[in-house]
PDB file of all heavy atoms in Angstrom:
ATOM      1  N   ALA I 890      82.597 118.870  88.213  1.00 86.00           N
ATOM      2  CA  ALA I 890      81.144 118.966  88.029  1.00 86.00           C
ATOM      3  C   ALA I 890      80.706 118.182  86.799  1.00 86.00           C
ATOM      4  O   ALA I 890      79.722 117.419  86.846  1.00 86.00           O
ATOM      5  CB  ALA I 890      80.745 120.433  87.899  1.00 86.00           C
ATOM      6  N   ALA I 891      81.431 118.328  85.708  1.00 90.00           N
ATOM      7  CA  ALA I 891      81.076 117.601  84.485  1.00 90.00           C
ATOM      8  C   ALA I 891      81.244 116.097  84.668  1.00 90.00           C
ATOM      9  O   ALA I 891      80.419 115.297  84.187  1.00 90.00           O
ATOM     10  CB  ALA I 891      81.955 118.093  83.329  1.00 90.00           C
ATOM     11  N   PHE I 892      82.300 115.695  85.344  1.00 92.00           N
ATOM     12  CA  PHE I 892      82.541 114.274  85.582  1.00 92.00           C
ATOM     13  C   PHE I 892      81.397 113.670  86.393  1.00 92.00           C
ATOM     14  O   PHE I 892      80.902 112.577  86.081  1.00 92.00           O
ATOM     15  CB  PHE I 892      83.877 114.098  86.323  1.00 92.00           C
ATOM     16  CG  PHE I 892      84.299 112.669  86.508  1.00 92.00           C
ATOM     17  CD1 PHE I 892      85.119 112.043  85.588  1.00 92.00           C
ATOM     18  CD2 PHE I 892      83.875 111.932  87.609  1.00 92.00           C
ATOM     19  CE1 PHE I 892      85.509 110.718  85.751  1.00 92.00           C
ATOM     20  CE2 PHE I 892      84.254 110.624  87.793  1.00 92.00           C
ATOM     21  CZ  PHE I 892      85.081 110.013  86.858  1.00 92.00           C
ATOM     22  N   MET I 893      80.958 114.369  87.427  1.00 90.00           N
ATOM     23  CA  MET I 893      79.901 113.849  88.290  1.00 90.00           C
ATOM     24  C   MET I 893      78.570 113.728  87.543  1.00 90.00           C
ATOM     25  O   MET I 893      77.835 112.758  87.716  1.00 90.00           O
ATOM     26  CB  MET I 893      79.735 114.756  89.515  1.00 90.00           C
ATOM     27  CG  MET I 893      80.865 114.628  90.513  1.00 90.00           C
ATOM     28  SD  MET I 893      80.955 112.952  91.190  1.00 90.00           S
ATOM     29  CE  MET I 893      82.452 113.086  92.179  1.00 90.00           C
ATOM     30  N   VAL I 894      78.281 114.695  86.725  1.00 91.00           N
ATOM     31  CA  VAL I 894      77.039 114.620  85.945  1.00 91.00           C
ATOM     32  C   VAL I 894      77.074 113.406  85.025  1.00 91.00           C
ATOM     33  O   VAL I 894      76.085 112.664  84.886  1.00 91.00           O
ATOM     34  CB  VAL I 894      76.828 115.922  85.151  1.00 91.00           C
ATOM     35  CG1 VAL I 894      75.655 115.773  84.183  1.00 91.00           C
ATOM     36  CG2 VAL I 894      76.589 117.099  86.099  1.00 91.00           C
ATOM     37  N   GLY I 895      78.205 113.161  84.386  1.00 94.00           N
ATOM     38  CA  GLY I 895      78.339 111.993  83.530  1.00 94.00           C
ATOM     39  C   GLY I 895      78.184 110.705  84.312  1.00 94.00           C
ATOM     40  O   GLY I 895      77.542 109.737  83.846  1.00 94.00           O
ATOM     41  N   PHE I 896      78.729 110.644  85.500  1.00 94.00           N
ATOM     42  CA  PHE I 896      78.635 109.448  86.345  1.00 94.00           C
ATOM     43  C   PHE I 896      77.182 109.141  86.688  1.00 94.00           C
ATOM     44  O   PHE I 896      76.710 108.004  86.539  1.00 94.00           O
ATOM     45  CB  PHE I 896      79.469 109.683  87.617  1.00 94.00           C
ATOM     46  CG  PHE I 896      79.296 108.641  88.680  1.00 94.00           C
ATOM     47  CD1 PHE I 896      79.712 107.328  88.472  1.00 94.00           C
ATOM     48  CD2 PHE I 896      78.728 108.968  89.900  1.00 94.00           C
ATOM     49  CE1 PHE I 896      79.557 106.369  89.469  1.00 94.00           C
ATOM     50  CE2 PHE I 896      78.568 108.019  90.902  1.00 94.00           C
ATOM     51  CZ  PHE I 896      78.986 106.713  90.688  1.00 94.00           C
ATOM     52  N   TYR I 897      76.430 110.150  87.116  1.00 91.00           N
ATOM     53  CA  TYR I 897      75.029 109.917  87.460  1.00 91.00           C
ATOM     54  C   TYR I 897      74.203 109.565  86.221  1.00 91.00           C
ATOM     55  O   TYR I 897      73.225 108.811  86.304  1.00 91.00           O
ATOM     56  CB  TYR I 897      74.445 111.140  88.168  1.00 91.00           C
ATOM     57  CG  TYR I 897      74.791 111.202  89.632  1.00 91.00           C
ATOM     58  CD1 TYR I 897      75.847 111.989  90.074  1.00 91.00           C
ATOM     59  CD2 TYR I 897      74.078 110.477  90.577  1.00 91.00           C
ATOM     60  CE1 TYR I 897      76.185 112.054  91.420  1.00 91.00           C
ATOM     61  CE2 TYR I 897      74.402 110.539  91.917  1.00 91.00           C
ATOM     62  CZ  TYR I 897      75.461 111.310  92.336  1.00 91.00           C
ATOM     63  OH  TYR I 897      75.786 111.372  93.668  1.00 91.00           O
ATOM     64  N   GLY I 898      74.591 110.123  85.086  1.00 93.00           N
ATOM     65  CA  GLY I 898      73.875 109.774  83.857  1.00 93.00           C
ATOM     66  C   GLY I 898      73.998 108.283  83.557  1.00 93.00           C
ATOM     67  O   GLY I 898      73.020 107.624  83.161  1.00 93.00           O
ATOM     68  N   HIS I 899      75.180 107.705  83.733  1.00 95.00           N
ATOM     69  CA  HIS I 899      75.364 106.273  83.497  1.00 95.00           C
ATOM     70  C   HIS I 899      74.613 105.442  84.533  1.00 95.00           C
ATOM     71  O   HIS I 899      74.068 104.377  84.211  1.00 95.00           O
ATOM     72  CB  HIS I 899      76.847 105.931  83.517  1.00 95.00           C
ATOM     73  CG  HIS I 899      77.597 106.435  82.321  1.00 95.00           C
ATOM     74  ND1 HIS I 899      77.242 106.098  81.026  1.00 95.00           N
ATOM     75  CD2 HIS I 899      78.692 107.236  82.216  1.00 95.00           C
ATOM     76  CE1 HIS I 899      78.080 106.677  80.176  1.00 95.00           C
ATOM     77  NE2 HIS I 899      78.966 107.377  80.874  1.00 95.00           N
ATOM     78  N   LEU I 900      74.582 105.925  85.764  1.00 93.00           N
ATOM     79  CA  LEU I 900      73.825 105.195  86.793  1.00 93.00           C
ATOM     80  C   LEU I 900      72.338 105.171  86.441  1.00 93.00           C
ATOM     81  O   LEU I 900      71.677 104.125  86.521  1.00 93.00           O
ATOM     82  CB  LEU I 900      74.018 105.855  88.165  1.00 93.00           C
ATOM     83  CG  LEU I 900      75.365 105.665  88.860  1.00 93.00           C
ATOM     84  CD1 LEU I 900      75.383 106.453  90.166  1.00 93.00           C
ATOM     85  CD2 LEU I 900      75.626 104.183  89.147  1.00 93.00           C
ATOM     86  N   ALA I 901      71.825 106.331  86.046  1.00 91.00           N
ATOM     87  CA  ALA I 901      70.398 106.404  85.702  1.00 91.00           C
ATOM     88  C   ALA I 901      70.063 105.557  84.484  1.00 91.00           C
ATOM     89  O   ALA I 901      68.924 105.096  84.334  1.00 91.00           O
ATOM     90  CB  ALA I 901      70.013 107.865  85.458  1.00 91.00           C
ATOM     91  N   ALA I 902      71.070 105.327  83.640  1.00 91.00           N
ATOM     92  CA  ALA I 902      70.848 104.496  82.449  1.00 91.00           C
ATOM     93  C   ALA I 902      70.866 103.008  82.752  1.00 91.00           C
ATOM     94  O   ALA I 902      70.651 102.199  81.847  1.00 91.00           O
ATOM     95  CB  ALA I 902      71.913 104.821  81.402  1.00 91.00           C
ATOM     96  N   GLY I 903      71.135 102.646  84.026  1.00 92.00           N
ATOM     97  CA  GLY I 903      71.055 101.239  84.408  1.00 92.00           C
ATOM     98  C   GLY I 903      72.380 100.561  84.665  1.00 92.00           C
ATOM     99  O   GLY I 903      72.405  99.360  84.979  1.00 92.00           O
ATOM    100  N   GLN I 904      73.489 101.270  84.542  1.00 94.00           N
ATOM    101  CA  GLN I 904      74.775 100.639  84.815  1.00 94.00           C
ATOM    102  C   GLN I 904      74.984 100.483  86.319  1.00 94.00           C
ATOM    103  O   GLN I 904      74.469 101.266  87.118  1.00 94.00           O
ATOM    104  CB  GLN I 904      75.913 101.478  84.218  1.00 94.00           C
ATOM    105  CG  GLN I 904      75.928 101.495  82.695  1.00 94.00           C
ATOM    106  CD  GLN I 904      77.145 102.215  82.142  1.00 94.00           C
ATOM    107  OE1 GLN I 904      77.907 102.819  82.886  1.00 94.00           O
ATOM    108  NE2 GLN I 904      77.319 102.156  80.831  1.00 94.00           N
ATOM    109  N   THR I 905      75.762  99.457  86.694  1.00 94.00           N
ATOM    110  CA  THR I 905      76.092  99.278  88.097  1.00 94.00           C
ATOM    111  C   THR I 905      77.083 100.359  88.526  1.00 94.00           C
ATOM    112  O   THR I 905      77.662 101.058  87.686  1.00 94.00           O
ATOM    113  CB  THR I 905      76.722  97.903  88.345  1.00 94.00           C
ATOM    114  OG1 THR I 905      77.971  97.833  87.641  1.00 94.00           O
ATOM    115  CG2 THR I 905      75.805  96.780  87.890  1.00 94.00           C
ATOM    116  N   TYR I 906      77.298 100.467  89.825  1.00 95.00           N
ATOM    117  CA  TYR I 906      78.239 101.480  90.312  1.00 95.00           C
ATOM    118  C   TYR I 906      79.633 101.299  89.710  1.00 95.00           C
ATOM    119  O   TYR I 906      80.212 102.271  89.194  1.00 95.00           O
ATOM    120  CB  TYR I 906      78.324 101.430  91.839  1.00 95.00           C
ATOM    121  CG  TYR I 906      77.084 101.934  92.547  1.00 95.00           C
ATOM    122  CD1 TYR I 906      76.241 101.062  93.223  1.00 95.00           C
ATOM    123  CD2 TYR I 906      76.768 103.283  92.548  1.00 95.00           C
ATOM    124  CE1 TYR I 906      75.109 101.511  93.887  1.00 95.00           C
ATOM    125  CE2 TYR I 906      75.634 103.751  93.202  1.00 95.00           C
ATOM    126  CZ  TYR I 906      74.806 102.857  93.870  1.00 95.00           C
ATOM    127  OH  TYR I 906      73.687 103.314  94.518  1.00 95.00           O
ATOM    128  N   PRO I 907      80.229 100.092  89.759  1.00 94.00           N
ATOM    129  CA  PRO I 907      81.571  99.946  89.161  1.00 94.00           C
ATOM    130  C   PRO I 907      81.575 100.235  87.663  1.00 94.00           C
ATOM    131  O   PRO I 907      82.511 100.870  87.152  1.00 94.00           O
ATOM    132  CB  PRO I 907      81.924  98.481  89.456  1.00 94.00           C
ATOM    133  CG  PRO I 907      81.064  98.085  90.603  1.00 94.00           C
ATOM    134  CD  PRO I 907      79.793  98.845  90.419  1.00 94.00           C
ATOM    135  N   GLU I 908      80.535  99.780  86.957  1.00 94.00           N
ATOM    136  CA  GLU I 908      80.477 100.024  85.513  1.00 94.00           C
ATOM    137  C   GLU I 908      80.347 101.510  85.207  1.00 94.00           C
ATOM    138  O   GLU I 908      81.000 102.019  84.286  1.00 94.00           O
ATOM    139  CB  GLU I 908      79.289  99.262  84.910  1.00 94.00           C
ATOM    140  CG  GLU I 908      79.453  97.751  84.906  1.00 94.00           C
ATOM    141  CD  GLU I 908      78.160  97.045  84.531  1.00 94.00           C
ATOM    142  OE1 GLU I 908      77.086  97.697  84.553  1.00 94.00           O
ATOM    143  OE2 GLU I 908      78.219  95.845  84.221  1.00 94.00           O
ATOM    144  N   ALA I 909      79.510 102.215  85.965  1.00 95.00           N
ATOM    145  CA  ALA I 909      79.282 103.636  85.708  1.00 95.00           C
ATOM    146  C   ALA I 909      80.553 104.446  85.934  1.00 95.00           C
ATOM    147  O   ALA I 909      80.883 105.348  85.134  1.00 95.00           O
ATOM    148  CB  ALA I 909      78.162 104.156  86.604  1.00 95.00           C
ATOM    149  N   LEU I 910      81.289 104.143  86.995  1.00 95.00           N
ATOM    150  CA  LEU I 910      82.521 104.880  87.255  1.00 95.00           C
ATOM    151  C   LEU I 910      83.563 104.577  86.180  1.00 95.00           C
ATOM    152  O   LEU I 910      84.247 105.495  85.680  1.00 95.00           O
ATOM    153  CB  LEU I 910      83.068 104.518  88.640  1.00 95.00           C
ATOM    154  CG  LEU I 910      84.349 105.234  89.057  1.00 95.00           C
ATOM    155  CD1 LEU I 910      84.163 106.756  89.030  1.00 95.00           C
ATOM    156  CD2 LEU I 910      84.796 104.779  90.442  1.00 95.00           C
ATOM    157  N   ARG I 911      83.658 103.320  85.791  1.00 95.00           N
ATOM    158  CA  ARG I 911      84.625 102.948  84.749  1.00 95.00           C
ATOM    159  C   ARG I 911      84.297 103.624  83.426  1.00 95.00           C
ATOM    160  O   ARG I 911      85.169 104.147  82.726  1.00 95.00           O
ATOM    161  CB  ARG I 911      84.629 101.429  84.598  1.00 95.00           C
ATOM    162  CG  ARG I 911      85.727 100.889  83.680  1.00 95.00           C
ATOM    163  CD  ARG I 911      85.509  99.410  83.439  1.00 95.00           C
ATOM    164  NE  ARG I 911      86.668  98.773  82.818  1.00 95.00           N
ATOM    165  CZ  ARG I 911      86.626  97.583  82.232  1.00 95.00           C
ATOM    166  NH1 ARG I 911      85.477  96.905  82.186  1.00 95.00           N
ATOM    167  NH2 ARG I 911      87.702  97.066  81.695  1.00 95.00           N
ATOM    168  N   GLN I 912      83.012 103.631  83.066  1.00 96.00           N
ATOM    169  CA  GLN I 912      82.609 104.240  81.803  1.00 96.00           C
ATOM    170  C   GLN I 912      82.794 105.754  81.827  1.00 96.00           C
ATOM    171  O   GLN I 912      83.186 106.363  80.817  1.00 96.00           O
ATOM    172  CB  GLN I 912      81.147 103.906  81.492  1.00 96.00           C
ATOM    173  CG  GLN I 912      80.688 104.353  80.109  1.00 96.00           C
ATOM    174  CD  GLN I 912      81.534 103.747  79.001  1.00 96.00           C
ATOM    175  OE1 GLN I 912      81.709 102.524  78.945  1.00 96.00           O
ATOM    176  NE2 GLN I 912      82.065 104.575  78.097  1.00 96.00           N
ATOM    177  N   THR I 913      82.564 106.368  82.974  1.00 95.00           N
ATOM    178  CA  THR I 913      82.763 107.810  83.071  1.00 95.00           C
ATOM    179  C   THR I 913      84.234 108.157  82.886  1.00 95.00           C
ATOM    180  O   THR I 913      84.581 109.149  82.235  1.00 95.00           O
ATOM    181  CB  THR I 913      82.252 108.339  84.426  1.00 95.00           C
ATOM    182  OG1 THR I 913      80.908 107.900  84.634  1.00 95.00           O
ATOM    183  CG2 THR I 913      82.290 109.857  84.464  1.00 95.00           C
ATOM    184  N   ARG I 914      85.110 107.347  83.463  1.00 94.00           N
ATOM    185  CA  ARG I 914      86.539 107.578  83.250  1.00 94.00           C
ATOM    186  C   ARG I 914      86.894 107.443  81.769  1.00 94.00           C
ATOM    187  O   ARG I 914      87.685 108.220  81.228  1.00 94.00           O
ATOM    188  CB  ARG I 914      87.357 106.591  84.097  1.00 94.00           C
ATOM    189  CG  ARG I 914      87.441 106.949  85.569  1.00 94.00           C
ATOM    190  CD  ARG I 914      88.545 106.204  86.271  1.00 94.00           C
ATOM    191  NE  ARG I 914      88.294 104.769  86.360  1.00 94.00           N
ATOM    192  CZ  ARG I 914      87.890 104.140  87.460  1.00 94.00           C
ATOM    193  NH1 ARG I 914      87.668 104.819  88.571  1.00 94.00           N
ATOM    194  NH2 ARG I 914      87.702 102.835  87.455  1.00 94.00           N
ATOM    195  N   ARG I 915      86.331 106.447  81.129  1.00 94.00           N
ATOM    196  CA  ARG I 915      86.595 106.268  79.687  1.00 94.00           C
ATOM    197  C   ARG I 915      86.077 107.458  78.892  1.00 94.00           C
ATOM    198  O   ARG I 915      86.740 107.932  77.955  1.00 94.00           O
ATOM    199  CB  ARG I 915      85.945 104.974  79.201  1.00 94.00           C
ATOM    200  CG  ARG I 915      86.669 103.717  79.666  1.00 94.00           C
ATOM    201  CD  ARG I 915      85.951 102.476  79.176  1.00 94.00           C
ATOM    202  NE  ARG I 915      86.738 101.278  79.414  1.00 94.00           N
ATOM    203  CZ  ARG I 915      86.345 100.046  79.130  1.00 94.00           C
ATOM    204  NH1 ARG I 915      85.123  99.865  78.594  1.00 94.00           N
ATOM    205  NH2 ARG I 915      87.116  99.021  79.365  1.00 94.00           N
ATOM    206  N   ASP I 916      84.886 107.921  79.228  1.00 95.00           N
ATOM    207  CA  ASP I 916      84.330 109.086  78.529  1.00 95.00           C
ATOM    208  C   ASP I 916      85.251 110.289  78.691  1.00 95.00           C
ATOM    209  O   ASP I 916      85.475 111.054  77.735  1.00 95.00           O
ATOM    210  CB  ASP I 916      82.944 109.422  79.083  1.00 95.00           C
ATOM    211  CG  ASP I 916      81.897 108.374  78.719  1.00 95.00           C
ATOM    212  OD1 ASP I 916      82.168 107.547  77.823  1.00 95.00           O
ATOM    213  OD2 ASP I 916      80.816 108.388  79.345  1.00 95.00           O
ATOM    214  N   ALA I 917      85.772 110.453  79.892  1.00 92.00           N
ATOM    215  CA  ALA I 917      86.671 111.584  80.129  1.00 92.00           C
ATOM    216  C   ALA I 917      87.945 111.432  79.306  1.00 92.00           C
ATOM    217  O   ALA I 917      88.415 112.401  78.683  1.00 92.00           O
ATOM    218  CB  ALA I 917      87.000 111.681  81.624  1.00 92.00           C
ATOM    219  N   ARG I 918      88.489 110.235  79.275  1.00 91.00           N
ATOM    220  CA  ARG I 918      89.710 109.981  78.498  1.00 91.00           C
ATOM    221  C   ARG I 918      89.469 110.224  77.006  1.00 91.00           C
ATOM    222  O   ARG I 918      90.342 110.691  76.280  1.00 91.00           O
ATOM    223  CB  ARG I 918      90.184 108.544  78.722  1.00 91.00           C
ATOM    224  CG  ARG I 918      90.796 108.305  80.093  1.00 91.00           C
ATOM    225  CD  ARG I 918      90.889 106.834  80.408  1.00 91.00           C
ATOM    226  NE  ARG I 918      91.528 106.082  79.340  1.00 91.00           N
ATOM    227  CZ  ARG I 918      91.537 104.754  79.272  1.00 91.00           C
ATOM    228  NH1 ARG I 918      90.910 104.037  80.203  1.00 91.00           N
ATOM    229  NH2 ARG I 918      92.152 104.138  78.290  1.00 91.00           N
ATOM    230  N   ASP I 919      88.249 109.887  76.566  1.00 92.00           N
ATOM    231  CA  ASP I 919      87.904 110.047  75.153  1.00 92.00           C
ATOM    232  C   ASP I 919      87.401 111.458  74.827  1.00 92.00           C
ATOM    233  O   ASP I 919      86.840 111.683  73.748  1.00 92.00           O
ATOM    234  CB  ASP I 919      86.827 109.025  74.763  1.00 92.00           C
ATOM    235  CG  ASP I 919      87.340 107.599  74.839  1.00 92.00           C
ATOM    236  OD1 ASP I 919      88.574 107.412  74.827  1.00 92.00           O
ATOM    237  OD2 ASP I 919      86.515 106.676  74.938  1.00 92.00           O
ATOM    238  N   ARG I 920      87.570 112.379  75.778  1.00 93.00           N
ATOM    239  CA  ARG I 920      87.195 113.783  75.606  1.00 93.00           C
ATOM    240  C   ARG I 920      85.698 113.988  75.395  1.00 93.00           C
ATOM    241  O   ARG I 920      85.272 114.931  74.736  1.00 93.00           O
ATOM    242  CB  ARG I 920      87.983 114.408  74.442  1.00 93.00           C
ATOM    243  CG  ARG I 920      89.494 114.387  74.666  1.00 93.00           C
ATOM    244  CD  ARG I 920      90.254 115.021  73.521  1.00 93.00           C
ATOM    245  NE  ARG I 920      91.687 115.027  73.800  1.00 93.00           N
ATOM    246  CZ  ARG I 920      92.325 115.977  74.481  1.00 93.00           C
ATOM    247  NH1 ARG I 920      91.634 117.016  74.939  1.00 93.00           N
ATOM    248  NH2 ARG I 920      93.622 115.912  74.702  1.00 93.00           N
ATOM    249  N   LYS I 921      84.904 113.096  75.933  1.00 94.00           N
ATOM    250  CA  LYS I 921      83.460 113.240  75.844  1.00 94.00           C
ATOM    251  C   LYS I 921      82.897 114.071  77.000  1.00 94.00           C
ATOM    252  O   LYS I 921      81.703 114.384  77.008  1.00 94.00           O
ATOM    253  CB  LYS I 921      82.799 111.855  75.837  1.00 94.00           C
ATOM    254  CG  LYS I 921      83.148 111.006  74.618  1.00 94.00           C
ATOM    255  CD  LYS I 921      82.472 109.648  74.695  1.00 94.00           C
ATOM    256  CE  LYS I 921      82.814 108.788  73.478  1.00 94.00           C
ATOM    257  NZ  LYS I 921      82.192 107.428  73.562  1.00 94.00           N
ATOM    258  N   ILE I 922      83.740 114.369  77.983  1.00 92.00           N
ATOM    259  CA  ILE I 922      83.311 115.182  79.131  1.00 92.00           C
ATOM    260  C   ILE I 922      84.191 116.417  79.173  1.00 92.00           C
ATOM    261  O   ILE I 922      85.391 116.322  79.431  1.00 92.00           O
ATOM    262  CB  ILE I 922      83.415 114.397  80.447  1.00 92.00           C
ATOM    263  CG1 ILE I 922      82.571 113.122  80.395  1.00 92.00           C
ATOM    264  CG2 ILE I 922      82.984 115.261  81.629  1.00 92.00           C
ATOM    265  CD1 ILE I 922      82.664 112.276  81.638  1.00 92.00           C
ATOM    266  N   SER I 923      83.603 117.544  78.924  1.00 88.00           N
ATOM    267  CA  SER I 923      84.360 118.794  78.857  1.00 88.00           C
ATOM    268  C   SER I 923      85.054 119.093  80.179  1.00 88.00           C
ATOM    269  O   SER I 923      84.431 119.060  81.247  1.00 88.00           O
ATOM    270  CB  SER I 923      83.417 119.949  78.498  1.00 88.00           C
ATOM    271  OG  SER I 923      84.101 121.173  78.514  1.00 88.00           O
ATOM    272  N   GLY I 924      86.343 119.367  80.118  1.00 85.00           N
ATOM    273  CA  GLY I 924      87.107 119.760  81.291  1.00 85.00           C
ATOM    274  C   GLY I 924      87.603 118.616  82.141  1.00 85.00           C
ATOM    275  O   GLY I 924      88.323 118.842  83.117  1.00 85.00           O
ATOM    276  N   ALA I 925      87.235 117.373  81.783  1.00 86.00           N
ATOM    277  CA  ALA I 925      87.626 116.231  82.610  1.00 86.00           C
ATOM    278  C   ALA I 925      88.597 115.312  81.896  1.00 86.00           C
ATOM    279  O   ALA I 925      88.916 114.237  82.408  1.00 86.00           O
ATOM    280  CB  ALA I 925      86.383 115.448  83.041  1.00 86.00           C
ATOM    281  N   GLN I 926      89.060 115.674  80.699  1.00 88.00           N
ATOM    282  CA  GLN I 926      89.893 114.768  79.913  1.00 88.00           C
ATOM    283  C   GLN I 926      91.285 114.570  80.502  1.00 88.00           C
ATOM    284  O   GLN I 926      91.940 113.566  80.227  1.00 88.00           O
ATOM    285  CB  GLN I 926      90.018 115.273  78.466  1.00 88.00           C
ATOM    286  CG  GLN I 926      90.713 116.619  78.322  1.00 88.00           C
ATOM    287  CD  GLN I 926      89.743 117.788  78.420  1.00 88.00           C
ATOM    288  OE1 GLN I 926      88.631 117.639  78.931  1.00 88.00           O
ATOM    289  NE2 GLN I 926      90.163 118.947  77.924  1.00 88.00           N
ATOM    290  N   ASP I 927      91.740 115.498  81.303  1.00 85.00           N
ATOM    291  CA  ASP I 927      93.053 115.366  81.923  1.00 85.00           C
ATOM    292  C   ASP I 927      92.980 114.296  83.017  1.00 85.00           C
ATOM    293  O   ASP I 927      92.067 114.306  83.855  1.00 85.00           O
ATOM    294  CB  ASP I 927      93.458 116.703  82.547  1.00 85.00           C
ATOM    295  CG  ASP I 927      94.936 116.738  82.925  1.00 85.00           C
ATOM    296  OD1 ASP I 927      95.388 115.799  83.613  1.00 85.00           O
ATOM    297  OD2 ASP I 927      95.623 117.708  82.547  1.00 85.00           O
ATOM    298  N   PRO I 928      93.940 113.354  83.059  1.00 85.00           N
ATOM    299  CA  PRO I 928      93.901 112.317  84.100  1.00 85.00           C
ATOM    300  C   PRO I 928      93.996 112.884  85.509  1.00 85.00           C
ATOM    301  O   PRO I 928      93.617 112.212  86.466  1.00 85.00           O
ATOM    302  CB  PRO I 928      95.112 111.435  83.770  1.00 85.00           C
ATOM    303  CG  PRO I 928      95.978 112.263  82.888  1.00 85.00           C
ATOM    304  CD  PRO I 928      95.048 113.145  82.120  1.00 85.00           C
ATOM    305  N   ARG I 929      94.477 114.130  85.599  1.00 82.00           N
ATOM    306  CA  ARG I 929      94.509 114.737  86.921  1.00 82.00           C
ATOM    307  C   ARG I 929      93.106 115.037  87.434  1.00 82.00           C
ATOM    308  O   ARG I 929      92.925 115.346  88.608  1.00 82.00           O
ATOM    309  CB  ARG I 929      95.367 115.998  86.877  1.00 82.00           C
ATOM    310  CG  ARG I 929      96.850 115.696  86.742  1.00 82.00           C
ATOM    311  CD  ARG I 929      97.681 116.912  86.420  1.00 82.00           C
ATOM    312  NE  ARG I 929      97.412 117.420  85.071  1.00 82.00           N
ATOM    313  CZ  ARG I 929      98.164 118.334  84.466  1.00 82.00           C
ATOM    314  NH1 ARG I 929      99.223 118.836  85.084  1.00 82.00           N
ATOM    315  NH2 ARG I 929      97.871 118.753  83.249  1.00 82.00           N
TER     316      ARG I 929
END
Side-chain angles (χ1 to χ4, degrees):
F892 186 93
M893 287 298 175
V894 172
F896 171 66
Y897 279 98
H899 289 303
L900 286 177
Q904 292 186 353
T905 64
Y906 289 110
E908 291 170 345
L910 181 58
R911 188 188 192 196
Q912 187 58 53
T913 308
R914 283 196 293 257
R915 287 179 170 178
D916 291 345
R918 287 164 51 191
D919 294 341
R920 299 181 178 273
K921 296 179 180 178
I922 302 178
S923 176
Q926 63 271 19
D927 193 309
R929 288 168 292 192

